[in-house]
Amino acid sequence: MTRLDKIEYLEQLLNQTEENYADTFKADVTMFFDDDFSEENSKLQFLDNINSKQEIEIWVDRLTSRFVMKFDSEFETENDFIYNYLENG
């Protein structure tokens, strides 16, 4: 997959209809990327380490699941939470 293919697939996943509570956090992830799904957005560089659609799906699922299990709005913002996930997994 090219970087643009990965970006387009990530955007598609984040814009899918919500099916469960974890999916509600996809909007926060989209906002983290400034709703800018272009190759120029440096926040999307993490996709360089991802090689398939399945890996992108796993990344989104893990992040949204982590929101459900660990996010505490009293101590951190959604952006800080996502940034931490990008940096530390």
Side-chain angles (χ1 to χ4, degrees):
M1 294 180 77
T2 66
R3 186 170 195 216
L4 183 58
D5 291 336
K6 294 174 193 178
I7 291 169
E8 288 173 351
Y9 190 67
L10 175 63
E11 181 179 22
Q12 178 186 355
L13 282 176
L14 294 175
N15 288 320
Q16 283 181 344
T17 305
E18 297 173 5
E19 296 180 11
N20 56 49
Y21 178 63
D23 287 345
T24 63
F25 294 101
K26 289 179 179 179
D28 295 310
V29 178
T30 298
M31 286 189 293
F32 173 79
F33 294 122
D34 303 319
D35 204 16
D36 175 16
F37 290 91
S38 68
E39 292 185 88
E40 291 76 33
N41 187 341
S42 62
K43 293 179 180 178
L44 295 167
Q45 286 180 338
F46 76 96
L47 289 170
D48 294 342
N49 299 319
I50 292 178
N51 299 308
S52 69
K53 288 181 177 182
Q54 182 181 16
E55 288 180 40
I56 296 169
E57 292 167 11
I58 290 169
W59 185 88
V60 170
D61 288 344
R62 284 184 179 162
L63 176 57
T64 55
S65 295
R66 186 174 285 189
F67 259 107
V68 172
M69 295 175 20
K70 295 185 178 186
F71 179 67
D72 187 343
S73 61
E74 291 185 29
F75 297 103
E76 61 192 332
T77 67
E78 289 86 347
N79 281 353
D80 290 339
F81 188 81
I82 296 166
Y83 181 78
N84 182 288
Y85 181 75
L86 283 170
E87 291 296 311
N88 302 310

